[in-house]
Amino acid sequence: MRRRDLLALLPLAPLALPGLAHAQAGYPSRPVRVVVPFPPGGTTDFIARLVSQRLASVLGQPFVIENRAGAGGTVGSDFVAKSAPDGHTLVVSNIASFGVGPSVYRSMPYDSVRDFAHIAVMAEIPSVLAVSASSPIRTFEQFVAAAKARPGMTIGSPGNGTSSHAKQAILQRSAGIETTHVPYRGSGPMMNDLMANAVDAMITTLVEAGRNDRFRLLAVTADSRVEGWPDLPTFKELGHPDLVASTWFGLSAPAGTPEAIVTRLNAEVLTGLATPEIAPRLVETGATPRRLSAPEYTAFIAAEVARWAAVVRAANIRAD
């Protein structure tokens, strides 16, 4: 999505529904906990803080970020699934713990569709294959050649069962290479190791790697070249269309959360995404908003679960 298209969404901010303000005049009645199921410093944390700050300003209560990392995001997500459905405990639902996780973990503690009231998508961000800026590898073609010459090259991901893990499996199959997956507890440690040349490459979001001159980006999973990175080729144009995939981040609550609260939060999130305070920051990091209603977001997650289940089965990915 081009910058002008994103900013053109400003007049489309959803209007308040009749009776909604009256129905939820008492919400929120205390600080709202927003669980980020990954460590601080990554993309999930960045998106959550950006949107939570906006929600706090318009709803009159703090939206407090709480990082609960572990098991590819499932630890924090399970905590929210079992929390009181009153709108005061939310989770950043994401491709890892809600899309890929249901297939890579043998015993998921929750159903990523039925056990949540899904509110809204906050952003979609493409992923990139990156190497250290000091690496002799300068192009994707050189990366493939090096991987074929040295099977077992290491590629880091933010953790077992994450979308980066699944995308690495697609890359191996599509490019005909054998690599070694190196899972980390979040993106921060992975990026530190890549900068220290302790791992050969990584797959992470454009937000995390895009503006860091200590990384060299080789290819992006977007459907077309991303504004701001005109020289970065897509996997699709390099002959790997299976690697068109976004990393998405949304907001969800425990199942049973009152519909009026879900609807109001959806409206406030969508309004916030179109504001001058948020929209340009998303564009600058390669992210785009996706304007879905709560039911549409629920259907989207169900479709993602099905899509990644096929990938996981084909690659025999297991996280436990």
Side-chain angles (χ1 to χ4, degrees), residues 19-284:
L20 184 58
H22 175 74
Q24 290 305 316
Y27 175 81
S29 60
R30 61 182 185 276
V32 176
R33 172 187 291 173
V34 180
V35 173
V36 175
F38 294 100
T43 306
T44 315
D45 195 63
F46 165 74
I47 297 295
R49 293 178 188 276
L50 191 62
V51 174
S52 293
Q53 183 177 9
R54 156 75 188 184
L55 291 175
S57 69
V58 297
L59 294 178
Q61 287 284 352
F63 276 63
V64 182
I65 299 296
E66 181 176 312
N67 296 92
R68 284 180 173 255
T74 62
V75 171
S77 302
D78 183 48
F79 171 80
V80 174
K82 295 176 172 57
S83 296
D86 58 10
H88 289 87
T89 304
L90 310 176
V91 65
V92 180
S93 41
N94 59 86
I95 188 174
S97 49
F98 284 75
V100 179
S103 298
V104 300
Y105 288 95
R106 291 182 175 87
S107 300
M108 279 289 283
Y110 56 83
D111 184 293
S112 61
V113 178
R114 293 195 303 268
D115 290 341
F116 295 88
H118 297 295
I119 295 165
V121 177
M122 296 187 289
E124 287 188 298
I125 304 167
S127 295
V128 291
L129 173 67
V131 295
S132 168
S134 62
S135 170
I137 297 172
R138 306 194 68 83
T139 66
F140 177 73
E141 292 83 1
Q142 290 178 0
F143 173 85
V144 172
K148 289 182 176 179
R150 182 165 62 90
M153 279 180 58
T154 53
I155 303 181
S157 83
N160 275 321
T162 61
S163 64
S164 294
H165 185 183
K167 289 166 190 170
Q168 184 179 151
I170 299 175
L171 173 61
Q172 289 187 88
R173 183 176 69 246
S174 184
I177 58 177
E178 293 183 12
T179 59
T180 298
H181 174 232
V182 181
Y184 289 86
R185 281 184 59 87
S187 299
M190 172 187 65
M191 292 189 291
N192 288 337
D193 266 11
L194 184 62
M195 288 187 287
N197 293 304
V199 65
D200 294 312
M202 68 177 178
I203 293 179
T204 190
T205 65
L206 187 56
V207 167
E208 292 170 338
R211 303 298 184 189
N212 192 322
D213 60 8
R214 298 185 68 177
F215 302 134
R216 179 177 299 127
L217 311 186
L218 304 181
V220 63
T221 64
D223 186 60
S224 59
R225 294 207 178 195
V226 180
E227 182 178 357
W229 288 266
D231 298 326
L232 178 61
T234 68
F235 283 103
K236 182 179 179 179
E237 69 185 84
L238 293 170
H240 304 280
D242 287 349
L243 274 163
V244 175
S246 66
T247 297
W248 45 269
F249 307 87
L251 199 63
S252 300
T257 298
E259 183 178 353
I261 291 178
V262 172
T263 302
R264 183 178 188 189
L265 287 172
N266 175 272
E268 296 296 356
V269 169
L270 297 189
T271 300
L273 294 178
T275 61
E277 293 77 25
I278 294 181
R281 295 189 66 183
L282 292 178
V283 172
E284 289 165 4

Side-chain angles (χ1 to χ4, degrees), residues 288-307:
T288 58
R290 185 170 183 143
R291 302 181 65 80
L292 299 180
S293 67
E296 287 171 338
Y297 183 33
T298 302
F300 171 78
I301 290 179
E304 284 285 277
V305 170
R307 176 193 181 182

